[in-house]
Amino acid sequence: MTKDVYLVIGGSGFVGRHIVEQLLRRGDNVSVFDIVQRYQDVPFYSGDISDQEQVSTALRRSGTTCIIHTASPPATLSDPALYWKVNVDGTKAIIAAAIQNNVRKLVFTSSAGVVFNGASLANIDERLTPPEQPMDAYNESKQKAEEAVIAANGKDGLLTVALRPSGIFGPGDRQVMAGLYKVYEDGKTHFQIGDNNNMFDWTYVENVAHAHLLAADKLDLAPPAPTLSTLEDLPVEAPPLTEAEQDIVTRPLPPLDLTVGRHRIPTSEARPVGPYVTPPSNSSELTSAFEAKRTSPEGRPVVRTRFDPLSEPNIFRAKYTNPESSPLQVAGQVFYITNGEPCYFWDLPRLVWGQLDTMFPGHRDTRKGYTVLPRWVGLGLAFASECWGWVIGREPALTRFKVTYSCVNRWHNIEKARRVLGYEPQVGLADGVGRMVDWWKTEYTTGTHKIAH
Ligand code: NAD
């Protein structure tokens, strides 16, 4: 099998760079296309994605067979025209250039925000249709770009897939960490908007990069059963799942326990031995079986109901809606990508601030407790901040989007990514925060941003 030649578009950015590093680590041939060059270790093509000719030239010169498209302006600008130009027109230009140059694979970094319109989303899966009006111009442009990517699947041999990560953080991040540090420096960590009973999905950046490589690798795998379009007539009854399909939906998955540690239910054969007067003769076997690290959760049957996205009726419904494709293949699909460890919204910032405290002991008085501002107060303050920002011609410090974002549930079911892409988060939330704060400290103490404490 010939190896792909990769072009990471937006490869000078946060996520793009981690993808480049992972590709380099496994010995792949990779180039970068971006408007800025920040690294010198791979061939670089300078250009703007909204110019099809520039993308096309880079594809031709690099001999690309797989595009990973991560480019976008930052989410925090108030510039709908720029979002449209880069995200919508730029993505369409990439698709056209890919087809023009016979590129086979396109992996697109979408966003979980494409389905967010301000209302709470709890444990949602890919069946949820994106709203007509997403929360802001940035997510609207990502939604339109994603639509174009999925619609291009199968055109002239191009295979496409879109990944929807949520709340990416980690080394190299210039948005989340910088914002949290500013709050820390300004002494405002005791403010909380909303009641913090809302769950949010954060995703460590290397997990996101890992998902992109899996998607690229599996994009050209055939569906595990012939698609309905290959049959003479669309069946009215769902044909039974093939063995390959059964394997995908019933394979036992390991627990997501990177941060919380081992989940283990005691059984009669593996359990801690309680306070016996005379311990059972096999007590050491029982305890060591309980302590042993399990590599696979064999024997746990997967139980599904008809409400489950991977139940037979729902797989059939998805196939029926799009007879050209199967929800159990990668091409033409969207996937939520998260750490699979949703947590209360303010818990992650507090984890970051707590780690900053260990670096700067005494900087913060943590005895103050929290000043909890209800959501409506936050929205009022944000409105005032937006008006003031408009008057002085600057981006507002607080926006109604940010307030809404911090007060609602936004977490996602990643079972489809786990089963179809074979995605498992590699780094847990707590470990990821540690890595980000370590990186940040080195970066900011040796770089231009000196820390004065
Ligand atoms: P980033 O700003 O660090 O990287 C984006 C890169 O795209 C930059 O290097 C930038 O120079 C480049 N770029 C921008 N406009 C371009 C253009 N017209 N032509 C060529 N290159 C251009 O952003 P990131 O955080 O790495 O985000 C990567 C992708 O992930 C984006 O598509 C974003 O929408 C998506 N995403 C990010 C998050 C997050 O929390 N950071 C969450 C969900 C989805």
Side-chain angles (χ1 to χ4, degrees):
M1 202 176 68
T2 48
K3 282 177 92 181
D4 275 312
V5 175
Y6 295 89
L7 183 69
V8 181
I9 299 184
S12 301
F14 170 42
V15 174
R17 177 61 193 173
H18 281 276
I19 293 172
V20 170
E21 285 177 0
Q22 289 191 8
L23 288 168
L24 287 176
R25 274 206 289 278
R26 65 181 206 183
D28 278 306
N29 178 341
V30 54
S31 305
V32 162
F33 180 98
D34 204 304
I35 41 176
V36 288
Q37 182 171 21
R38 295 200 182 87
Y39 306 91
Q40 318 293 330
D41 53 357
V42 290
F44 178 77
Y45 297 88
S46 171
D48 186 322
I49 56 169
S50 46
D51 184 326
Q52 187 184 325
E53 200 38 52
Q54 290 183 2
V55 181
S56 197
T57 306
L59 292 175
R60 212 172 36 249
R61 293 210 180 131
S62 56
T64 298
T65 60
C66 177
I67 299 172
I68 301 185
H69 166 26
T70 71
S72 166
T76 46
L77 309 178
S78 334
D79 194 342
L82 178 70
Y83 287 142
W84 198 271
K85 175 172 177 269
V86 177
N87 286 344
V88 186
D89 296 340
T91 300
K92 287 182 179 166
I94 291 175
I95 293 167
I99 291 175
Q100 191 186 349
N101 290 279
N102 302 317
V103 172
R104 267 199 82 222
K105 297 177 177 177
L106 169 61
V107 180
F108 173 59
T109 320
S110 182
S111 167
V114 299
V115 291
F116 182 52
N117 67 355
S120 269
L121 298 172
N123 199 23
I124 55 157
D125 59 66
E126 290 81 357
R127 286 172 300 176
L128 184 72
T129 320
E132 278 189 13
Q133 200 50 59
M135 193 57 196
D136 61 351
Y138 168 78
N139 281 307
E140 189 180 359
S141 67
K142 294 291 295 185
Q143 189 198 90
K144 296 285 176 257
E146 183 193 275
E147 244 173 61
V149 166
I150 296 303
N153 181 52
K155 276 200 185 137
D156 297 310
L158 180 66
L159 300 169
T160 67
V161 58
L163 305 184
R164 293 177 175 168
S166 165
I168 310 173
F169 72 98
D173 157 58
R174 281 168 292 144
Q175 295 181 53
V176 176
M177 188 60 211
L180 292 179
Y181 180 67
K182 181 153 184 354
V183 175
Y184 184 83
E185 272 298 275
D186 293 348
K188 292 185 181 156
T189 57
H190 59 290
F191 285 114
Q192 170 186 308
I193 301 177
D195 58 14
N196 201 28
N197 279 326
N198 51 310
M199 306 281 272
F200 188 84
D201 260 331
W202 299 94
T203 317
Y204 183 66
V205 63
E206 289 183 53
N207 297 335
V208 176
H210 174 59
H212 281 75
L213 269 60
L214 289 169
D217 291 347
K218 300 195 169 170
L219 197 42
D220 53 358
L221 291 187
T227 58
L228 296 190
S229 61
T230 58
L231 306 178
E232 242 167 56
D233 294 308
L234 281 186
V236 181
E237 297 273 323
L241 296 185
T242 63
E243 222 171 274
E245 288 180 312
Q246 286 284 359
D247 185 49
I248 293 173
V249 296
T250 59
R251 175 172 57 90
L253 293 177
L256 289 164
D257 55 7
L258 287 170
T259 298
V260 293
R262 207 161 39 97
H263 286 294
R264 188 92 200 236
I265 298 167
T267 64
S268 56
E269 276 144 29
R271 60 185 168 90
V273 177
Y276 280 97
V277 176
T278 314
S281 57
N282 61 342
S283 53
S284 62
E285 284 90 341
L286 292 176
T287 330
S288 55
F290 187 70
E291 295 299 332
K293 182 148 180 65
R294 285 183 312 164
T295 47
S296 88
E298 274 159 36
R300 294 255 180 98
V302 177
V303 181
R304 297 196 186 279
T305 70
R306 65 178 59 209
F307 303 106
D308 188 317
L310 297 176
S311 64
E312 290 204 30
N314 282 321
I315 291 174
F316 179 61
R317 190 165 300 137
K319 289 179 181 174
Y320 205 85
T321 314
N322 184 2
E324 307 288 332
S325 175
S326 156
L328 302 181
Q329 72 182 113
V330 175
Q333 300 294 313
V334 298
F335 296 93
Y336 288 110
I337 301 295
T338 75
N339 249 55
E341 302 175 280
C343 64
Y344 294 114
F345 182 84
W346 291 102
D347 289 11
L348 185 125
R350 287 176 187 156
L351 200 56
V352 172
W353 294 325
Q355 298 213 2
L356 287 172
D357 282 340
T358 62
M359 288 177 190
F360 312 120
H363 175 73
R364 198 163 68 119
D365 181 1
T366 47
R367 288 167 308 172
K368 272 187 204 164
Y370 297 118
T371 307
V372 178
L373 305 176
R375 181 178 175 174
W376 64 269
V377 173
L379 287 172
L381 291 172
F383 183 63
S385 168
E386 284 171 25
C387 293
W388 180 240
W390 185 76
V391 171
I392 62 170
R394 286 226 197 116
E395 293 291 334
L398 188 64
T399 61
R400 282 168 290 172
F401 178 81
K402 282 188 191 167
V403 171
T404 306
Y405 196 81
S406 58
C407 292
V408 297
N409 284 296
R410 272 192 65 187
W411 59 287
H412 314 80
N413 178 334
I414 57 167
E415 190 179 1
K416 183 174 165 189
R418 297 182 75 195
R419 293 194 175 276
V420 179
L421 287 180
Y423 166 74
E424 292 296 330
Q426 307 290 298
V427 178
L429 277 191
D431 192 8
V433 166
R435 293 184 192 196
M436 173 169 74
V437 176
D438 283 350
W439 158 80
W440 179 89
K441 193 187 175 199
T442 320
E443 179 80 2
Y444 279 67
T445 44
T446 55
T448 47
H449 305 260
K450 295 283 177 218
I451 304 169
H453 282 275

